[in-house]
Amino acid sequence: MASSLHVNGDRRPSNTRHPTAPPTMMNSHFAPVGENPSREQYEHGIQVIDEDKEFNQHLSTYLSIEKIIPAGFNYHLISVFGSQSTGKSTLLNYLFGTEFGVMSEQERRQTTKGIWMSKNKRVSAVKDANSMADNILVMDVEGTDGRERGEDQDFERKSALFALATSEVLIVNIWEHQVGLYQGANMGLLKTVFEVNLQLFIKDSKTIAKTLLFFVIRDHIGTTPMSNLRNTLLQDLSRIWSTLSKPKGLENSRIEDYFDFAFCALPHKILQPEKFEEEVEKLSHRFREGYNDPKKSGLLDEGSLPVFLPQYHRRIPADGFPVYAEGIWDQIVNNKDLDLPTQQELLAQFRCDEISREVLVAFDETITPLEDKQAEGVRLGQPTVLAGLGPAMNVARSTILKDFETNASRYHKGVYTRKRAELESKVDTRLKALFQKQLSAANKAGVEQFSSAVSAAVKSGQKKGNNYDFAHIVDSEKAKALAKFEEDAQAVLVQGASWSTYQADLTLYKKDLEEVSARLRKDEMRRLATRVERWVRSRLGESVGLEFNKLGTGRGGSGAPEHGDRPATEKDLWDRIWAVFTETVESAEGRFTDRARSFDASPDEVEVGLWRLRRKSWGVLRAKIDEEVMEGNILLKLRENFEDKFRYDESGVPRIWRPTDDIEGLYTKARESTVTIIPLLARFKLAATSAPPPLDAWIGSAPASTSSADEEDLAPIGGVDEDEGKSLEEEMTVLNDTKMQDLLVRFKKTADGVYVEAKRSAIGGMTQVPLYFYGLLLALGWNEIVAVLRNPLYFVFLILIGVGAYVTYTLNLWGPMARMTNAASNQALEIGKEKLREFLANTETGRQAVAMSGRGESIGMERLDRQGKKKVESEDEDEI
Ligand SMILES: Nc1nc2c(ncn2[C@@H]2O[C@H](COP(=O)(O)OP(=O)(O)OP(=O)(O)O)[C@@H](O)[C@H]2O)c(=O)[nH]1
């Protein structure tokens, strides 16, 4: 194995910049890393710091390739120190299977330049919890006392500081014969190490870790026992420690406070190669496995003690190591005071930010599409309730925080806590926006759903004959809406987020539902009002119509009987209409109030509803009155009224006019009586007061809670809205003067017609055949009657005609016979005409005659047509 690690100087590749080149061949520059850096490129490890003190930016690439980055704290770092060409690289190659460049035996010149790093390549034999093999990093530090650097100890000091700040174990490689010497035993270097360590402690005496100084004594011949060597070294170390000028506060500190010591001796590699390999193998095992079984341990020192104790660990997470190392080196190389806690804090900030960005990528992948969807919904004015939002938010939040914690919690606690809070707040701001938008979408959707569900239920109730309980519908739909909202809200609750509560939103939702309920209730009130108005209209239509119809009987006038049920008088027509109106509306009010209360309408709403009902009802009444007093209608009523008075006597028996009757007197009386109705009809007033009814007072003033929308569809009423409406006087005027005059004239004409008819019928009675005329007819025709009766032939003929007529009558054949006769006569007439045409066609005069007869025929036809039309018209009139 040893021979394979030795690189023959002659066979070494020439000077190259490739990172895999052996250190001897490397110049001060770093080798570029290819597009896809591979393990092979780093077979000799990586030159972390070159001889020109430049830090290698590819350290993190190397650690990634070696899979150290995700190891967290589960890695170890060992550095080796010692004089130049004392077999340090050889030792590391044996111990860890690394391939650091080794000087050939023939040359004695520096091979390791700067600081190299490589991962342990020897696989642990025992894979158990104590196995350290996988993640051991070793640093091969440029040898001290090299002739190449001469008196310049700057690099030596800087590399010592760097190794001390990063490594848990410092292997001090010395030859046995160097023990006891000052320079050869690296006592100068150790003094440097102690000094820089003290420097670090001044800054932070609490958190700085202890370091294990592992002395490996090479070429141990065995004449001097190991214990002597150890004691000598310890004495030397104590002496160096005592000579150090310690900073204030640390004057009494002991070397053991900062360092642990381990010692190990290896036989001569050239003289005792087998023994050397045997011992070095044991030492390797001790490093790789963390400890050695004391029984099996054949090492020359207390080889069973573990090498990597937790207190040695620098507590730099592996993923932050490259940044930390670079920061440390930057400080060292620029001769700044190395303040490890500050460096750790800076590292923590840097890494925490980086980790935040990394974990946010996965978070964004889940959350951004959801945010986009929501934004799209809002943009289109249709915010949508996103399905699966709650679980997505919960998973995204817990994942990001967990990932952050896993990676970042290893860093400086204070920084980590602060950065975690920052990340949490960043994440929560976005989640909260999602949460809020989801709730407001749920609110909107819920309110719409509630509104349409109530409307649908009301509609279906209306279809079933208005058989529904509005309050019940609203209550049950509201309960459903609230349950749905709570369910939606519960589904988006984010575990562990203090802002994730929906009580305020629920309250807002309840308020919104209340508002919608109030609006729906208002609509329902309107519908109720419309229904009640319709009811009022139909009731008023009937009862007011009846009252007006009573006018037509006319027996309430001058000819009214004094006994029995006194018929409605014309004088108190308006009183009765007012009474019927108020009664109807009051009963409608009762219905309205009962129903409105049933769906929780407030007293104010009921009051407004009733006020609207009264106003609208008046409009209905007014329209009905206008309809009744329309020209045709009222004229008919007046005519009926007049005819009633004129054609019937006081007992209600129809009059049969005789020429002797005082038709004129009765006509005048009846007409005058009816004419007095016209001014009565012209104005709505009560008989008792002769004044219009107290409409204003009855309607009452608008309640305080009346909105402009409530008044929108109301026709202005006189006295109530003076600006727009008619005055009360105008409102009560049913017929204006012109109309009255016109009606009077028309009525008189109608009455005149009735009078003329009556007069004609009285005269018509005189045109009847008097009885004596029949006596005269018998006396004058006596002889002919006797002649017929005496002559048997005539008598038999008479009997036959009588029998024939009887049979025809009993068989109901008179009609067909009449039609037959008619048809036969028509036929005969046609034939006659034809014959006449034929006859006349033969002569000139005849043709003229034909032409004339044709005209005559068409004239006759026209006449016939006219008669036919007249007949149809008269039939239509009968139907109406
Ligand atoms: N006598 C003796 N020689 C050794 C031993 N180990 C290595 N060597 C030889 O010492 C020489 C230097 O070995 P390196 O391993 O290159 O020494 P180094 O300390 O790494 O040298 P630099 O890196 O230049 O400081 C080589 O020729 C080795 O063969 C040993 O245990 N005993």
Side-chain angles (χ1 to χ4, degrees), residues 6 12 23-24 80 82-94 100-113 140-144 148 173 175 218-220 266-271 276:
H6 287 230
R12 282 176 198 157
T24 44
V80 69
S83 307
Q84 191 181 302
S85 310
T86 48
K88 298 187 294 297
S89 308
T90 309
L91 177 67
L92 293 180
N93 290 348
Y94 271 100
F100 293 123
V102 175
M103 194 190 82
S104 75
E105 262 93 28
Q106 288 79 29
E107 301 174 53
R108 298 277 329 155
R109 64 180 179 87
Q110 188 184 35
T111 47
T112 308
K113 292 178 179 179
D140 192 2
V141 183
E142 185 180 306
T144 54
E148 284 79 358
N173 187 57
W175 277 334
R218 310 289 292 273
D219 288 1
H220 182 245
L266 291 175
H268 199 291
K269 178 176 170 283
I270 316 289
L271 302 179
F276 172 80

Side-chain angles (χ1 to χ4, degrees), residues 548 573-574 577 618 621-622 624-630 634 678-685 726 728-737 739-740:
F548 271 94
L573 170 74
W574 294 120
I577 288 177
W618 170 253
L621 176 68
R622 197 64 184 75
K624 179 66 190 166
I625 291 170
D626 285 341
E627 185 195 316
E628 289 293 336
V629 298
M630 253 165 60
I634 197 65
I678 296 174
L680 192 82
L681 279 175
R683 195 154 171 268
F684 196 127
K685 60 181 178 189
K726 297 182 264 182
L728 191 60
E729 192 53 43
E730 282 170 330
E731 192 67 46
M732 294 299 170
T733 306
V734 180
L735 294 171
N736 58 26
D737 289 348
K739 271 198 176 160
M740 250 167 71

Side-chain angles (χ1 to χ4, degrees), residues 167-169 209-212 260 307-314:
S167 315
E168 297 159 59
V169 179
K210 249 184 166 186
T211 310
L212 176 67
D260 281 342
V307 178
F308 301 116
L309 290 178
Q311 64 261 36
Y312 303 148
H313 206 286
R314 286 336 190 218

Side-chain angles (χ1 to χ4, degrees), residues 366-367 370 385-395 438 491-492:
T366 318
I367 298 303
L370 295 168
V385 178
L386 299 177
L389 178 68
M393 291 203 297
N394 274 301
V395 170
Q438 176 89 338
V492 284

